[in-house]
Amino acid sequence: MSIEATDEVLAGLEHWRGIPAAHQPTWPDIEALEAVTSELREWPPLVFAGEADSLRAKMAAAARGEAFVLQGGDCAETFAESTADRIRNKIRTILQMAAVLTYGASVPVVKLGRMAGQYAKPRSSDLETRDGVTLPVYRGDAVNGHAFTAASRTPDPERLLRAYHHSATTINLIRAFTQGGYADLRLVHDWNRGFMSNPAYARYEVLAGEIDRAMRFMDAAGVDFDALKTVDFYSSHEALLLDYEAALTRIDSRTGDPYNTSAHFLWIGERTRQADGAHVDLLSRVRNPIGVKLGPTTSGDDALALMDKLNPEGEPGRLTFITRMGARKIRDVLPGLVERVTADGRPVTWVCDPMHGNTITSPSGYKTRELATILDEVRGFFEVHQALGTVPGGLHVELTGDDVTEVLGGSEEVDDAALASRYETLVDPRLNHQQSLEMAFDVAEMLRGN
Ligand code: PEP
Ligand code: CO
C-alpha cells in the first residue's frame, strides 16, 4: 500500500519559492528551466528513503561517540572527471582512510562521499573579469562551463539534466564497488598496490599487514566474514540549487513523508544558512539527515534558530553542525557555540571541516591550504570537545584519490613551486591521495587520545 502526502505537506514543499534564495544562478530562460525541472520530476529517485533513514541512525551514533563520520570528496565534481578511474580512486581513498581510523581507533566509520551530486558552488562574486572582459562566474558544472567564454559561462538549465545523469552513473559505480566485493576488508592490502614509495604508504602497508594478521586469526577462530564483504557508503552534496533539489524531493510511499532523493545527506553552506532563508525552509521539510556549515561568525542564537527550524523535536541524527572556523580561531570561537547548543539539550552531531577556514593564496598566486594548518584545526576541534566533555563526531574534507598538487605540505612536501605541476581543481584545493592517508593516521591518534 502506498501512503500519500497531505495537501499541507505538498503545499509546504513549495513554500521556499516565496522566500529570497541566496546564490542562485540567473537563468536566462525561465521557460527552459521549467521544462527541465518538470522532466526531472518524472525521473527516478537517486537514493531510497530507507537508506537515508539508516544513515540518520548512524549520524546519531556518531553524535554519541559510538561511530565517527568521514565525509570526503571534491570541492566541485566535474562532468569531465566523472570517470571510472577517478571515482574508484576517491572511493579507495575514503575506504583506506576509514580502515586507518577503524583499526587505529577501534571505532566504526560512517562513510559519506562528497560525491554523486556535488556539482554546484556558491561564489563570493557573481562576475569574473579577465583582461578587461567580464563574464558570469563559474558556479559548478550543474550551472555553467568553466571555460572563459560567454557561451560557456551563460547558465544553461540543460546542465541540471546532465548533473542528474552523472550523479546516477556515479552512485551506480559507488554501489557496484561497495556492494560487489571491491570494498571487502580482506583486500585492504590491494588498495595500496602501486603506491609503496613514500612514508604515508609505507605506514599504511604496516597497518594493512596488521589487519591481515588479525583477520587470519579470526578466520582460524571460525568468525563469519560475510559482514566484511560489503560496506555502506552514502552520497552527499551541498543542497544549493533549489530548483534541482525541489524537483528531486519526493514522497516516500511507505510513510507519506517527503525525502530529498538527490542524495542521502544534504548540507546547507555557510553562505545560505539563514534560518529564515529558502534553503533552510526547503530542507526543514524533508526527512533526510541534514548538515549545516558554521563559520567563525556564527552566534549561539544562529545555531539555536537553526535547531528550531531543522530539528525542532530534537531527533537524534537529524542535524549535523559542520564547523569550519579556521585553525587560528577554532579554539576561541567553538567552545561558546558548543556550550550553547549543549545547554539546549537537543542532540547535534559535530563534524569538523578543517578546509574552508584555512584557504590562502600562495606567493605564486595559487589558491591553496597547508596540511599542517588543516591538521591544527582538527586538533583544535578535538581539544575543544575534550575540554567540554562533548563528542567530536566526524571529519569533512576536500580530497581526491589522485596525485594532484593543490595543498601545501605533507611528507612528500608539496611546496609553492610544486603547486603548478598538477593543480587541477576548478574551485578549492584538495588533499591528494597520500596527504589524505597522512591525515587519517593523525586523526586516528587524536581519536584514540579522546
Ligand atoms: C564547500 O564545502 O565547498 C563550501 C563552499 O563550504 P562553505 O559553505 O563552508 O564555505
Ligand atoms: Co570547497
Side-chain angles (χ1 to χ4, degrees), residues 299-305 307 334-346 350 388:
S299 69
D301 287 348
D302 293 340
L304 288 204
M307 291 162 76
L334 187 58
L337 208 54
V338 174
E339 276 172 330
R340 270 298 289 284
V341 168
T342 306
D344 175 87
R346 286 174 290 189
W350 293 101
L388 295 174

PDB file of all heavy atoms in Angstrom, residues 299-305 307 334-346 350 388:
ATOM      1  N   SER A 299      26.684  32.875  15.660  1.00  0.00           N
ATOM      2  CA  SER A 299      26.385  33.136  17.069  1.00  0.00           C
ATOM      3  C   SER A 299      25.611  31.956  17.652  1.00  0.00           C
ATOM      4  O   SER A 299      25.044  31.135  16.918  1.00  0.00           O
ATOM      5  CB  SER A 299      25.549  34.411  17.189  1.00  0.00           C
ATOM      6  OG  SER A 299      24.254  34.165  16.658  1.00  0.00           O
ATOM      7  N   GLY A 300      25.570  31.895  18.978  1.00  0.00           N
ATOM      8  CA  GLY A 300      24.767  30.865  19.633  1.00  0.00           C
ATOM      9  C   GLY A 300      23.307  30.974  19.217  1.00  0.00           C
ATOM     10  O   GLY A 300      22.636  29.955  18.997  1.00  0.00           O
ATOM     11  N   ASP A 301      22.814  32.218  19.076  1.00  0.00           N
ATOM     12  CA  ASP A 301      21.425  32.400  18.631  1.00  0.00           C
ATOM     13  C   ASP A 301      21.207  31.833  17.234  1.00  0.00           C
ATOM     14  O   ASP A 301      20.170  31.222  16.954  1.00  0.00           O
ATOM     15  CB  ASP A 301      21.042  33.886  18.638  1.00  0.00           C
ATOM     16  CG  ASP A 301      20.860  34.426  20.054  1.00  0.00           C
ATOM     17  OD1 ASP A 301      20.804  33.606  20.998  1.00  0.00           O
ATOM     18  OD2 ASP A 301      20.784  35.663  20.205  1.00  0.00           O
ATOM     19  N   ASP A 302      22.202  32.032  16.348  1.00  0.00           N
ATOM     20  CA  ASP A 302      22.092  31.463  14.987  1.00  0.00           C
ATOM     21  C   ASP A 302      21.933  29.943  15.077  1.00  0.00           C
ATOM     22  O   ASP A 302      21.092  29.345  14.404  1.00  0.00           O
ATOM     23  CB  ASP A 302      23.361  31.739  14.153  1.00  0.00           C
ATOM     24  CG  ASP A 302      23.565  33.203  13.836  1.00  0.00           C
ATOM     25  OD1 ASP A 302      22.595  33.984  13.912  1.00  0.00           O
ATOM     26  OD2 ASP A 302      24.722  33.573  13.506  1.00  0.00           O
ATOM     27  N   ALA A 303      22.781  29.324  15.886  1.00  0.00           N
ATOM     28  CA  ALA A 303      22.764  27.862  15.978  1.00  0.00           C
ATOM     29  C   ALA A 303      21.414  27.385  16.525  1.00  0.00           C
ATOM     30  O   ALA A 303      20.823  26.428  16.010  1.00  0.00           O
ATOM     31  CB  ALA A 303      23.907  27.374  16.863  1.00  0.00           C
ATOM     32  N   LEU A 304      20.913  28.074  17.556  1.00  0.00           N
ATOM     33  CA  LEU A 304      19.621  27.641  18.130  1.00  0.00           C
ATOM     34  C   LEU A 304      18.472  27.862  17.156  1.00  0.00           C
ATOM     35  O   LEU A 304      17.552  27.040  17.070  1.00  0.00           O
ATOM     36  CB  LEU A 304      19.355  28.373  19.449  1.00  0.00           C
ATOM     37  CG  LEU A 304      20.221  27.951  20.640  1.00  0.00           C
ATOM     38  CD1 LEU A 304      19.522  28.281  21.947  1.00  0.00           C
ATOM     39  CD2 LEU A 304      20.652  26.502  20.627  1.00  0.00           C
ATOM     40  N   ALA A 305      18.548  28.951  16.388  1.00  0.00           N
ATOM     41  CA  ALA A 305      17.490  29.186  15.394  1.00  0.00           C
ATOM     42  C   ALA A 305      17.500  28.078  14.340  1.00  0.00           C
ATOM     43  O   ALA A 305      16.438  27.628  13.884  1.00  0.00           O
ATOM     44  CB  ALA A 305      17.683  30.556  14.736  1.00  0.00           C
ATOM     45  N   MET A 307      18.475  24.992  14.874  1.00  0.00           N
ATOM     46  CA  MET A 307      17.923  23.796  15.525  1.00  0.00           C
ATOM     47  C   MET A 307      16.394  23.880  15.576  1.00  0.00           C
ATOM     48  O   MET A 307      15.691  22.884  15.343  1.00  0.00           O
ATOM     49  CB  MET A 307      18.504  23.643  16.938  1.00  0.00           C
ATOM     50  CG  MET A 307      19.987  23.278  16.905  1.00  0.00           C
ATOM     51  SD  MET A 307      20.832  23.600  18.462  1.00  0.00           S
ATOM     52  CE  MET A 307      20.253  22.227  19.443  1.00  0.00           C
ATOM     53  N   LEU A 334      34.807  28.089  18.942  1.00  0.00           N
ATOM     54  CA  LEU A 334      33.961  26.900  19.034  1.00  0.00           C
ATOM     55  C   LEU A 334      33.391  26.642  20.436  1.00  0.00           C
ATOM     56  O   LEU A 334      32.220  26.247  20.555  1.00  0.00           O
ATOM     57  CB  LEU A 334      34.722  25.670  18.506  1.00  0.00           C
ATOM     58  CG  LEU A 334      33.903  24.380  18.389  1.00  0.00           C
ATOM     59  CD1 LEU A 334      32.692  24.561  17.464  1.00  0.00           C
ATOM     60  CD2 LEU A 334      34.779  23.227  17.860  1.00  0.00           C
ATOM     61  N   PRO A 335      34.171  26.873  21.515  1.00  0.00           N
ATOM     62  CA  PRO A 335      33.639  26.492  22.835  1.00  0.00           C
ATOM     63  C   PRO A 335      32.293  27.145  23.160  1.00  0.00           C
ATOM     64  O   PRO A 335      31.361  26.456  23.614  1.00  0.00           O
ATOM     65  CB  PRO A 335      34.731  26.958  23.807  1.00  0.00           C
ATOM     66  CG  PRO A 335      35.987  26.931  22.995  1.00  0.00           C
ATOM     67  CD  PRO A 335      35.577  27.332  21.610  1.00  0.00           C
ATOM     68  N   GLY A 336      32.146  28.446  22.903  1.00  0.00           N
ATOM     69  CA  GLY A 336      30.904  29.133  23.242  1.00  0.00           C
ATOM     70  C   GLY A 336      29.715  28.549  22.493  1.00  0.00           C
ATOM     71  O   GLY A 336      28.620  28.377  23.058  1.00  0.00           O
ATOM     72  N   LEU A 337      29.964  28.210  21.235  1.00  0.00           N
ATOM     73  CA  LEU A 337      28.900  27.655  20.396  1.00  0.00           C
ATOM     74  C   LEU A 337      28.475  26.268  20.909  1.00  0.00           C
ATOM     75  O   LEU A 337      27.284  25.967  21.042  1.00  0.00           O
ATOM     76  CB  LEU A 337      29.454  27.558  18.969  1.00  0.00           C
ATOM     77  CG  LEU A 337      28.510  27.651  17.804  1.00  0.00           C
ATOM     78  CD1 LEU A 337      27.663  28.898  17.865  1.00  0.00           C
ATOM     79  CD2 LEU A 337      29.329  27.626  16.498  1.00  0.00           C
ATOM     80  N   VAL A 338      29.468  25.452  21.194  1.00  0.00           N
ATOM     81  CA  VAL A 338      29.168  24.091  21.663  1.00  0.00           C
ATOM     82  C   VAL A 338      28.438  24.158  23.005  1.00  0.00           C
ATOM     83  O   VAL A 338      27.476  23.410  23.249  1.00  0.00           O
ATOM     84  CB  VAL A 338      30.458  23.245  21.769  1.00  0.00           C
ATOM     85  CG1 VAL A 338      30.164  21.879  22.394  1.00  0.00           C
ATOM     86  CG2 VAL A 338      31.093  23.060  20.391  1.00  0.00           C
ATOM     87  N   GLU A 339      28.849  25.096  23.859  1.00  0.00           N
ATOM     88  CA  GLU A 339      28.188  25.221  25.166  1.00  0.00           C
ATOM     89  C   GLU A 339      26.719  25.594  25.023  1.00  0.00           C
ATOM     90  O   GLU A 339      25.851  25.026  25.681  1.00  0.00           O
ATOM     91  CB  GLU A 339      28.924  26.252  26.035  1.00  0.00           C
ATOM     92  CG  GLU A 339      30.112  25.639  26.742  1.00  0.00           C
ATOM     93  CD  GLU A 339      30.972  26.688  27.461  1.00  0.00           C
ATOM     94  OE1 GLU A 339      31.022  27.843  26.996  1.00  0.00           O
ATOM     95  OE2 GLU A 339      31.581  26.329  28.475  1.00  0.00           O
ATOM     96  N   ARG A 340      26.441  26.579  24.149  1.00  0.00           N
ATOM     97  CA  ARG A 340      25.048  26.999  23.945  1.00  0.00           C
ATOM     98  C   ARG A 340      24.197  25.841  23.420  1.00  0.00           C
ATOM     99  O   ARG A 340      23.083  25.590  23.892  1.00  0.00           O
ATOM    100  CB  ARG A 340      24.970  28.139  22.916  1.00  0.00           C
ATOM    101  CG  ARG A 340      25.053  29.537  23.477  1.00  0.00           C
ATOM    102  CD  ARG A 340      23.927  29.911  24.425  1.00  0.00           C
ATOM    103  NE  ARG A 340      22.596  30.115  23.836  1.00  0.00           N
ATOM    104  CZ  ARG A 340      22.210  31.174  23.144  1.00  0.00           C
ATOM    105  NH1 ARG A 340      23.039  32.157  22.916  1.00  0.00           N
ATOM    106  NH2 ARG A 340      20.965  31.259  22.684  1.00  0.00           N
ATOM    107  N   VAL A 341      24.732  25.132  22.435  1.00  0.00           N
ATOM    108  CA  VAL A 341      23.986  24.039  21.823  1.00  0.00           C
ATOM    109  C   VAL A 341      23.787  22.906  22.837  1.00  0.00           C
ATOM    110  O   VAL A 341      22.706  22.318  22.932  1.00  0.00           O
ATOM    111  CB  VAL A 341      24.726  23.541  20.552  1.00  0.00           C
ATOM    112  CG1 VAL A 341      24.157  22.223  20.051  1.00  0.00           C
ATOM    113  CG2 VAL A 341      24.663  24.611  19.463  1.00  0.00           C
ATOM    114  N   THR A 342      24.820  22.621  23.596  1.00  0.00           N
ATOM    115  CA  THR A 342      24.733  21.527  24.564  1.00  0.00           C
ATOM    116  C   THR A 342      23.714  21.859  25.652  1.00  0.00           C
ATOM    117  O   THR A 342      22.941  20.991  26.082  1.00  0.00           O
ATOM    118  CB  THR A 342      26.125  21.258  25.183  1.00  0.00           C
ATOM    119  OG1 THR A 342      27.048  21.051  24.117  1.00  0.00           O
ATOM    120  CG2 THR A 342      26.112  20.012  26.065  1.00  0.00           C
ATOM    121  N   ALA A 343      23.689  23.125  26.071  1.00  0.00           N
ATOM    122  CA  ALA A 343      22.747  23.539  27.115  1.00  0.00           C
ATOM    123  C   ALA A 343      21.304  23.383  26.635  1.00  0.00           C
ATOM    124  O   ALA A 343      20.397  23.114  27.428  1.00  0.00           O
ATOM    125  CB  ALA A 343      23.013  24.992  27.515  1.00  0.00           C
ATOM    126  N   ASP A 344      21.094  23.525  25.324  1.00  0.00           N
ATOM    127  CA  ASP A 344      19.750  23.365  24.766  1.00  0.00           C
ATOM    128  C   ASP A 344      19.227  21.947  24.987  1.00  0.00           C
ATOM    129  O   ASP A 344      18.039  21.747  25.245  1.00  0.00           O
ATOM    130  CB  ASP A 344      19.771  23.692  23.267  1.00  0.00           C
ATOM    131  CG  ASP A 344      18.428  23.424  22.606  1.00  0.00           C
ATOM    132  OD1 ASP A 344      17.581  24.335  22.618  1.00  0.00           O
ATOM    133  OD2 ASP A 344      18.215  22.291  22.119  1.00  0.00           O
ATOM    134  N   GLY A 345      20.117  20.971  24.844  1.00  0.00           N
ATOM    135  CA  GLY A 345      19.725  19.591  25.113  1.00  0.00           C
ATOM    136  C   GLY A 345      19.374  18.770  23.880  1.00  0.00           C
ATOM    137  O   GLY A 345      19.500  17.554  23.902  1.00  0.00           O
ATOM    138  N   ARG A 346      18.919  19.425  22.816  1.00  0.00           N
ATOM    139  CA  ARG A 346      18.614  18.651  21.605  1.00  0.00           C
ATOM    140  C   ARG A 346      19.937  18.209  20.963  1.00  0.00           C
ATOM    141  O   ARG A 346      20.877  18.997  20.874  1.00  0.00           O
ATOM    142  CB  ARG A 346      17.798  19.499  20.618  1.00  0.00           C
ATOM    143  CG  ARG A 346      16.364  19.675  21.065  1.00  0.00           C
ATOM    144  CD  ARG A 346      15.606  20.636  20.175  1.00  0.00           C
ATOM    145  NE  ARG A 346      16.071  22.018  20.338  1.00  0.00           N
ATOM    146  CZ  ARG A 346      15.472  23.085  19.808  1.00  0.00           C
ATOM    147  NH1 ARG A 346      14.377  22.935  19.070  1.00  0.00           N
ATOM    148  NH2 ARG A 346      15.948  24.295  20.001  1.00  0.00           N
ATOM    149  N   TRP A 350      28.549  16.807  15.805  1.00  0.00           N
ATOM    150  CA  TRP A 350      29.563  17.819  15.497  1.00  0.00           C
ATOM    151  C   TRP A 350      30.589  17.231  14.535  1.00  0.00           C
ATOM    152  O   TRP A 350      31.234  16.221  14.838  1.00  0.00           O
ATOM    153  CB  TRP A 350      30.286  18.275  16.766  1.00  0.00           C
ATOM    154  CG  TRP A 350      29.417  19.040  17.719  1.00  0.00           C
ATOM    155  CD1 TRP A 350      28.834  18.563  18.857  1.00  0.00           C
ATOM    156  CD2 TRP A 350      29.035  20.421  17.619  1.00  0.00           C
ATOM    157  NE1 TRP A 350      28.116  19.556  19.480  1.00  0.00           N
ATOM    158  CE2 TRP A 350      28.219  20.715  18.749  1.00  0.00           C
ATOM    159  CE3 TRP A 350      29.295  21.451  16.689  1.00  0.00           C
ATOM    160  CZ2 TRP A 350      27.662  21.989  18.958  1.00  0.00           C
ATOM    161  CZ3 TRP A 350      28.745  22.706  16.922  1.00  0.00           C
ATOM    162  CH2 TRP A 350      27.942  22.971  18.029  1.00  0.00           C
ATOM    163  N   LEU A 388      35.212  20.213  26.894  1.00  0.00           N
ATOM    164  CA  LEU A 388      33.806  20.421  27.270  1.00  0.00           C
ATOM    165  C   LEU A 388      33.078  19.114  27.576  1.00  0.00           C
ATOM    166  O   LEU A 388      31.912  19.132  27.981  1.00  0.00           O
ATOM    167  CB  LEU A 388      33.068  21.155  26.148  1.00  0.00           C
ATOM    168  CG  LEU A 388      33.546  22.585  25.858  1.00  0.00           C
ATOM    169  CD1 LEU A 388      32.842  23.143  24.630  1.00  0.00           C
ATOM    170  CD2 LEU A 388      33.306  23.492  27.065  1.00  0.00           C
TER     171      LEU A 388
END
